[in-house]
Amino acid sequence: MAAGMRFLQLFTVVLPFCFTPANSNWIPATATFYGGADGSDTMGGACGYENLYVAGYGINNVALSTALFNDGASCGQCYVIICDTSKSDMCKPGTSITVSATNFCPPNWDLPSDNGGWCNPPRHHFDMSQPAWENIGIYRAGIIPVFYQQVKCWRQGGVRFTINGFNYFELVLVANIGGSGSIKSMSVKGTNTAWIPMFRNWGANWHCLSGLVGQALSFAITSTGGQYLVFQDVVPAWWQFGQTFTTWRQFDY
């Protein structure tokens, strides 16, 4: 069934589900929710996507615990989550939800990991948007046991680049990534430069220290799934800090 899910997902959708623990590769975790009934307070977050609708992620989003967030390397990844009906009667049986990682759920060292410190290491925990969470759990439960798998991300349109920074500091937010959903490595090339390595600054933001103003920019990205794509001259020479440029190219894995 898991393989079928990968092909049936369209962005973030609710799917029918029949769970058989004996023949599955699902990982146990727990899930709570935040952000209000409309999910509006989930906008922004530690990945840097700001408006999640504009960035391509929508309302079915999730904040990851330390063990899953991986210092931002998991930003943009997709997970299909189901409630563990064998451990809770607060599940909505036969449902699943696919969510995108857009935020970090920090540890709470003042509370024990089994009583409020849900995001403390080494717990695998998902703090989901309330609309996403309510697809699989009954509201009054607050927290539910779940199973999850990382799955392929399906995005509408191509990869997007937002150029921030100043002078000799370029900070590039890369959003709307399909396939594995996240970046392993990245470099930039100006009209008058060779390829320049970029480094993760925070979340989905990558930086380099070069004078690139006035040059068209190309980006070379390797996804965490191992796919290598070059986005040739995707940013025109007249770019300014704060602008976003959308491409037609997309990752498959």
Side-chain angles (χ1 to χ4, degrees):
M1 186 65 175
M5 284 182 179
R6 296 171 190 264
F7 292 100
L8 288 173
Q9 292 166 31
L10 180 61
F11 314 125
T12 48
V13 296
V14 181
L15 301 171
F17 182 77
C18 180
F19 179 57
T20 308
N23 59 9
S24 71
N25 295 313
W26 295 77
I27 303 170
T30 48
T32 50
F33 61 85
Y34 79 114
D38 61 357
S40 59
D41 287 342
T42 64
M43 298 296 112
C47 290
Y49 297 129
E50 298 299 334
N51 187 316
L52 299 179
Y53 292 103
V54 173
Y57 299 99
I59 200 61
N60 290 338
N61 59 74
V62 66
L64 302 178
S65 63
T66 302
L68 294 172
F69 190 66
N70 196 20
D71 292 327
S74 298
C75 284
Q77 293 181 358
C78 296
Y79 303 87
V80 61
I81 302 176
I82 62 163
C83 189
D84 183 359
T85 55
S86 70
K87 293 182 178 178
S88 175
D89 59 1
M90 292 288 104
C91 299
K92 292 182 179 178
T95 62
S96 68
I97 187 69
T98 300
V99 292
S100 298
T102 61
N103 203 356
F104 173 55
C105 182
N108 184 343
W109 302 115
D110 293 330
L111 295 174
S113 297
D114 60 352
N115 188 20
W118 310 124
C119 292
N120 295 352
R123 290 184 65 103
H124 286 206
H125 184 82
F126 297 88
D127 199 15
M128 304 166 63
S129 72
Q130 185 175 332
W133 190 93
E134 287 194 86
N135 282 289
I136 60 173
I138 298 171
Y139 176 82
R140 67 177 182 274
I143 182 171
I144 52 174
V146 299
F147 287 97
Y148 76 93
Q149 283 188 351
Q150 184 181 345
V151 294
K152 179 177 180 178
C153 298
W154 297 90
R155 305 293 184 203
Q156 185 172 15
V159 177
R160 303 169 189 172
F161 299 88
T162 300
I163 317 299
N164 293 307
F166 56 90
N167 296 334
Y168 288 83
F169 174 72
E170 284 77 28
L171 184 68
V172 180
L173 171 67
V174 190
N176 201 48
I177 299 176
S180 62
S182 53
I183 297 174
K184 178 181 179 181
S185 62
M186 178 175 173
S187 57
V188 60
K189 183 182 184 302
T191 306
N192 304 318
T193 73
W195 285 104
I196 303 167
M198 302 190 75
F199 303 93
R200 187 184 306 279
N201 190 282
W202 64 278
N205 289 278
W206 292 69
H207 80 270
C208 70
L209 303 175
S210 301
L212 298 175
V213 175
Q215 301 181 54
L217 304 181
S218 302
F219 296 99
I221 297 177
T222 301
S223 71
T224 51
Q227 186 176 6
Y228 176 81
L229 289 181
V230 175
F231 298 83
Q232 186 70 36
D233 296 327
V234 67
V235 177
W238 46 260
W239 66 270
Q240 296 181 354
F241 291 110
Q243 290 183 308
T244 298
F245 299 89
T246 301
T247 76
W248 58 269
R249 301 200 72 184
Q250 190 53 274
F251 287 92
D252 294 317
Y253 57 91

